[in-house]
Amino acid sequence: MIPNPIYILAIESSCDDTAAAVLENNTVLSNVVAGQAIHEQYGGVVPELASRAHQQNIVPVIDAALKKANITKSQLSAIAFTQGPGLMGSLLVGSSFAKSMAQALHIPIIGVNHMHAHILAHFIDEEGFDKPEFPFLALTISGGHTQIVKVISFFDLEIIGETTDDAVGEAFDKSAKILGLPYPGGPLVDKYAQLGNPKAYKFTKPRIPNLDFSFSGLKTQILYFIQNNIKLNANFIEENRNDICASIQNIIIEILMEKLKLAVKQTGITQVAIGGGVSANSGIRNAIKESEAKLGWKTFIPKFEYTTDNAAMIGIVGYHKFLENKFNDISVVSSARIPF
Ligand code: KG4
Ligand code: ZN
């Protein structure tokens, strides 16, 4: 018998955020995220340091999530955790904790695909946020992924386009690094871009067929552009930071929108949702919103706190899996790469 309400404790530890959330059915009661500032000085996530920080954070984060939700451990129906994709050492902290806690409480565990969660985050019940209807297209853009997914139902998802090299988040972060900005640079590029002219500098789009993406060429293009300009003016970056960021963000938006338009044309599906850390980007959010009036799409942009890595999105997948009895055995293994 399915309990009502279902209380899910969700744990996300795939990269450099330790996160826990408690959901009552499809409503979020608490959503706690502890970031890891340690990586800033290294210009990227250091896997070994990430797993150590998860070890330190996981107990206080879960404790805080339960307290904030005003839920006791004994009320929990199941524990959902990120099974992959992600950094192996980081994933293991979350999955081992989920397994032990669930064993102690005699409740089931539910392994969740992180990218699936970025998509199903749209099904969290939130005032002022509509849920998409099936089928819809999802553009998942994060530090590790860039995909266009045809979402046929909660558990039937088909990747119809993806990056052949770097993820779009990497394009933001690596461009930021070239400009001397700390990691993760994406939010900073966004911040400066809002003050700059997106047409100040012209970058070219890669020629990649169908619905696939490529971002590594763009990164090289930006590197040469900056090196050449610094030769002429040592203060080029400082004097033009806003315009450079706006122009980089502009070409990235053009690349994403071109492929999304093609996906809508090919599938005939006009409901479009975005998800993943890069969907926090203000320029991308505006471009997606504008396509409602311009192209007649119905678009779905997640609440800001559900864009970058969080456990509420793991919890909503856990809830829908719970409803369909999709539990995992204690022998379930984490995996750096897993299919939907
Ligand atoms: O989904 P996420 O939190 O972690 C992964 O699953 O990778 O995504 C992190 C990525 C980073 O590359 C970060 O720079 C980017 O999302 N990001 C942004 C913005 N906020 C986060 N990129 C551009 N503009 C933003 N506002
Ligand atoms: Zn993510």
Side-chain angles (χ1 to χ4, degrees), residues 2-37:
I2 293 174
N4 192 17
I6 296 169
Y7 288 112
I8 306 270
L9 169 68
I11 302 170
E12 149 65 30
S13 69
S14 65
C15 191
D16 59 339
D17 291 304
T18 319
V22 177
L23 273 76
E24 178 180 322
N25 294 335
N26 58 356
T27 306
V28 176
L29 299 182
S30 64
N31 187 32
V32 179
V33 183
Q36 302 180 355

Side-chain angles (χ1 to χ4, degrees), residues 141-211:
I141 40 183
S142 74
H145 288 82
T146 306
Q147 296 175 329
I148 300 179
V149 183
K150 188 170 153 188
V151 190
I152 299 141
S153 71
F154 285 121
F155 300 107
D156 187 3
L157 299 94
E158 187 192 338
I159 298 168
I160 56 174
E162 62 186 328
T163 184
T164 52
D165 42 55
D166 289 355
V168 63
E170 279 178 278
F172 270 107
D173 296 338
K174 287 177 180 172
S175 303
K177 198 171 180 180
I178 295 168
L179 300 179
L181 300 172
Y183 178 87
L188 292 169
V189 172
D190 188 1
K191 187 178 122 189
Y192 294 121
Q194 290 178 46
L195 306 168
N197 171 11
K199 303 244 178 313
Y201 306 106
K202 186 106 193 85
F203 300 107
T204 51
K205 278 187 265 183
R207 287 212 189 97
I208 300 291
N210 302 320
L211 299 174

Side-chain angles (χ1 to χ4, degrees), residues 12 14-15 17 85 114-115 118 141-145 275-278 307-310 313:
E12 149 65 30
S14 65
C15 191
D17 291 304
H114 180 93
M115 297 314 292
H118 271 306
I141 40 183
S142 74
H145 288 82
V278 183
T307 53
T308 44
D309 288 349
N310 66 89
M313 67 180 195

Side-chain angles (χ1 to χ4, degrees), residues 115 118 138-148 161-178 183-190 205-206 211-220 222 245 247-260 273-285 288 307-308:
M115 297 314 292
H118 271 306
L139 174 71
T140 48
I141 40 183
S142 74
H145 288 82
T146 306
Q147 296 175 329
I148 300 179
E162 62 186 328
T163 184
T164 52
D165 42 55
D166 289 355
V168 63
E170 279 178 278
F172 270 107
D173 296 338
K174 287 177 180 172
S175 303
K177 198 171 180 180
I178 295 168
Y183 178 87
L188 292 169
V189 172
D190 188 1
K205 278 187 265 183
L211 299 174
D212 288 334
F213 299 91
S214 165
F215 289 100
S216 69
L218 179 65
K219 175 190 61 193
T220 315
I222 292 166
C245 288
S247 302
I248 292 172
Q249 186 164 299
N250 184 56
I251 186 74
I252 292 176
I253 294 171
E254 277 184 17
I255 294 169
L256 295 174
M257 290 308 291
E258 182 181 278
K259 295 293 180 167
L260 255 188
I274 56 169
V278 183
S279 65
N281 184 271
S282 61
I284 294 173
R285 287 174 159 243
I288 292 286
T307 53
T308 44

Side-chain angles (χ1 to χ4, degrees), residues 118-120 122-123 129-141 147-151 160 211 213 253 256-276 279 284-303:
H118 271 306
I119 297 174
L120 294 200
H122 287 280
F123 292 92
F129 288 81
D130 289 344
K131 299 179 185 69
E133 279 166 26
F134 300 114
F136 66 92
L137 295 177
L139 174 71
T140 48
I141 40 183
Q147 296 175 329
I148 300 179
V149 183
K150 188 170 153 188
V151 190
I160 56 174
L211 299 174
F213 299 91
I253 294 171
L256 295 174
M257 290 308 291
E258 182 181 278
K259 295 293 180 167
L260 255 188
K261 282 180 198 161
L262 186 60
V264 167
K265 197 170 156 206
Q266 284 184 3
T267 60
I269 298 170
T270 53
Q271 283 196 94
V272 177
I274 56 169
S279 65
I284 294 173
R285 287 174 159 243
N286 289 340
I288 292 286
K289 259 278 133 314
E290 278 171 13
S291 62
E292 294 215 325
K294 274 195 197 158
L295 306 164
W297 297 357
K298 178 144 178 57
T299 65
F300 300 87
I301 298 171
K303 194 177 175 191

